[in-house]
Amino acid sequence: MVRIMKLLTRDERPPGEEPVSDLVPEPEVSRAKRVRVLLAAACAPLLFSYTAVALVLAVVAFAADRTRFSATGTLLAAGPGWLASWQVELELGGHPLGVLPLLPTLVVAWLVARAAARAARRLGGGTPADAIPVVTVTAGAHALFGVLIALMTGGSPIAVSSLTAFCVPGLLAGLAAIAGTAKVCGLPTVVRDRFDPVAVHGLRAGALGLAGMLACGAVVFTAATALSWSTVDSLFEPGFGTSFGMFVLSVAYLPNAVVAALSFITGPGFSVGSLTVGMFGYQEGRLPGVPVLAGIPSHHAVWWPVLLLLPALVGVLVGWRIRTIDEDPMPRIRAVAVAGALVAFGCVILGTLSGGRLGDGPLDPVSVPVGVASVIAFCWIVIPGGFVAFFAGAHEPPEPPGDPDAEVVTEDVAEAEDTVEPEEDEAAETADEPEAGLDEEFDDEAEAELALELGEELDETSAEAEPEPEPEQDAAVTESTDGSGDESAPGGDR
């Protein structure tokens, strides 16, 4: 039975030929499936984030003391909370609230990026153009939902600008969708192909430098909070509900505190109302009773400038990363400059998002001097990073004396001769093969003619060099002639 099945299923194609099923292209995604996938990518993170905000507010309201829980009120309050998670400025009773937590923004952006990546993968995206529908639908859905919430809050104590509610969630959701679909749709490959390789290395090193700066800020914030743990403990009230709400609020503002610590270790510092904390200056002021701010010192310390070593070490790390990208030092310096520009731009974005208005009281505003902070962050990357990249990397060997153009021409000619010589040798061998017999026949005749010519030349030379006969020879001939006459003459002596 097994043999019969093998005979029936035996492939009769010649070896090397592909099966017919492999030659048929994959069917395109149907329009219904495309619409379904795009709607899921746009609505799933939106609904999930709104539900998460509503759930957190419900838990806090249910756990709070002397508070009446209302499901309808919680759902209505989740709308402005959702806008706050997308960094949309609110107005509470006519007082602006622009210092919004960054942790919820990071969470909802991650949800959008993940949903966009899944949608692009299901649609078979392989080029950057395939990401355009996903990004467009995602950004449009969040923008429309923001406008809907802004219209629903009309007449309530919480006011929201419709234009801001439309633009900010749509823009941030679109950027998150681009980040999610970048790898799936091959955007990094396109960037590497079209951008200068030195710039690409600089961008990678700049991302590393920005992460290093944030890590240094997180370390300083953690150390300051740990050293002020008694103050942190005193800010939590005995009741569970109030303490839980304070804990949730502090956790949501942790990234804001890290950005403020980053601005502090680089030099410019930060301010909360009249309170200003800088590396070389301190101005006292009032602080809100929030545990996340318990690590702010109450006075200036002389040893604070030692913390400037942290951003310097980050710059050294960036330069060490770039030192091997090229043997010429100048491209390495350009890469360090690109990395510094990226770090400066990141500091501007983070500083802008982490600060804002806080009512109209003594704690308003909370700000980071983004202009000064970006310039100083650029210097912290470029100066030590450029020094390390220049001296720690390889250098081009000095060129030998002489005209480099002539050497290049000589090398090109040598390569051309090496390429042509084998062809000439083969042609010579091919031409010599039929004439080999003729050369053997004419060798003896050529040698004979050469010897004859040489002999004639030698004879002519010896003839020219031989002296004329002397007169003695003529006399001898005369005497011999006379003697013979004497012998034959009659009457001679006998």
Side-chain angles (χ1 to χ4, degrees):
M1 185 66 181
V2 175
R3 291 184 178 181
I4 295 174
M5 292 301 298
K6 288 183 177 180
L7 291 174
L8 293 176
T9 59
R10 187 175 59 183
D11 192 0
E12 298 296 340
R13 295 186 307 271
E17 185 179 352
E18 298 293 335
V20 178
S21 59
D22 295 340
L23 298 177
V24 177
E26 296 182 358
E28 296 183 358
V29 180
S30 62
R31 181 174 299 180
K33 181 179 179 181
R34 182 179 295 274
V35 172
R36 185 170 61 253
V37 171
L38 291 177
L39 290 178
C43 298
L46 190 151
L47 297 177
F48 185 82
S49 58
Y50 182 86
T51 305
V53 171
L55 181 62
V56 171
L57 293 179
V59 171
V60 172
F62 184 78
D65 300 333
R66 298 182 300 273
T67 301
R68 184 178 179 181
F69 176 75
S70 173
T72 304
T74 301
L75 292 176
L76 292 176
W82 184 87
L83 291 176
S85 66
W86 285 107
Q87 297 295 312
V88 177
E89 184 176 352
L90 307 176
E91 288 188 5
L92 304 177
H95 301 286
L97 177 60
V99 187
L100 301 172
L102 281 177
L103 184 61
T105 306
L106 297 176
V107 173
V108 295
W110 176 76
L111 291 174
V112 170
R114 185 176 179 182
R118 186 185 299 109
R121 195 176 296 110
R122 291 181 62 186
L123 294 176
T127 61
D130 297 331
I132 294 177
V134 179
V135 174
T136 304
V137 173
T138 302
H142 284 74
L144 294 177
F145 192 70
V147 171
L148 179 62
I149 293 176
L151 295 176
M152 291 178 62
T153 57
S156 65
I158 302 177
V160 183
S161 172
S162 300
L163 181 61
T164 306
F166 177 83
C167 295
V168 177
L171 177 62
L172 295 181
L175 294 176
I178 292 174
T181 58
K183 186 176 181 180
V184 178
C185 296
L187 185 59
T189 304
V190 175
V191 172
R192 285 195 301 267
D193 294 340
R194 297 189 178 183
F195 279 70
D196 185 9
V198 175
V200 174
H201 287 292
L203 292 176
R204 291 178 178 176
L208 176 64
L210 185 59
M213 289 285 191
L214 290 173
C216 293
V219 169
V220 171
F221 168 76
T222 303
T225 304
L227 294 175
S228 306
W229 187 252
S230 58
T231 305
V232 174
D233 186 38
S234 63
L235 292 175
F236 285 101
E237 297 183 5
F240 173 76
T242 306
S243 298
F244 180 74
M246 194 69 68
F247 174 76
V248 172
L249 184 66
S250 299
V251 171
Y253 277 95
L254 277 178
N256 303 62
V258 170
V259 174
L262 165 62
S263 181
F264 172 72
I265 63 173
T266 53
F270 59 92
S271 62
V272 180
S274 60
L275 173 67
T276 302
V277 181
M279 186 64 66
F280 302 99
Y282 186 91
Q283 182 178 354
E284 295 183 358
R286 182 181 175 184
L287 277 176
V290 183
V292 72
L293 300 178
I296 296 179
S298 58
H299 60 276
H300 184 269
V302 182
W303 60 270
W304 283 357
V306 178
L307 297 175
L308 295 175
L309 293 175
L310 296 176
L313 290 176
V314 174
V316 171
L317 177 62
V318 171
W320 188 260
R321 174 69 180 272
I322 295 177
R323 78 190 191 284
T324 58
I325 66 172
D326 200 292
E327 294 183 356
D328 187 4
M330 296 311 298
R332 300 200 295 265
I333 298 299
R334 288 197 294 117
V336 172
V338 173
L342 180 61
V343 172
F345 181 74
C347 289
V348 170
I349 298 299
L350 293 174
T352 303
L353 294 178
S354 62
R357 299 292 304 276
L358 187 59
D360 296 321
L363 303 178
D364 179 49
V366 177
S367 63
V368 172
V370 292
V372 179
S374 62
V375 173
I376 294 179
F378 177 81
C379 294
W380 280 122
I381 297 297
V382 171
I383 295 176
F387 184 85
V388 173
F390 184 86
F391 290 101
H395 291 71
E396 290 183 349
E399 296 181 356
D403 189 5
D405 296 336
E407 295 177 0
V408 173
V409 172
T410 305
E411 293 177 359
D412 294 340
V413 172
E415 293 178 358
E417 291 177 355
D418 293 340
T419 306
V420 174
E421 281 179 359
E423 298 179 357
E424 293 179 351
D425 295 341
E426 293 177 359
E429 292 177 359
T430 306
D432 291 344
E433 288 179 357
E435 297 179 358
L438 297 177
D439 292 341
E440 293 178 358
E441 293 177 3
F442 290 105
D443 283 342
D444 297 338
E445 295 180 3
E447 292 178 359
E449 291 178 358
L450 180 61
L452 182 59
E453 292 176 359
L454 292 175
E456 292 176 357
E457 292 178 0
L458 291 174
D459 293 341
E460 292 176 1
T461 305
S462 59
E464 293 176 357
E466 183 178 0
E468 297 180 357
E470 296 179 357
E472 294 179 356
Q473 296 179 354
D474 297 340
V477 172
T478 306
E479 290 179 356
S480 61
T481 305
D482 294 341
S484 61
D486 292 342
E487 293 179 354
S488 59
D493 296 339
R494 293 181 182 266

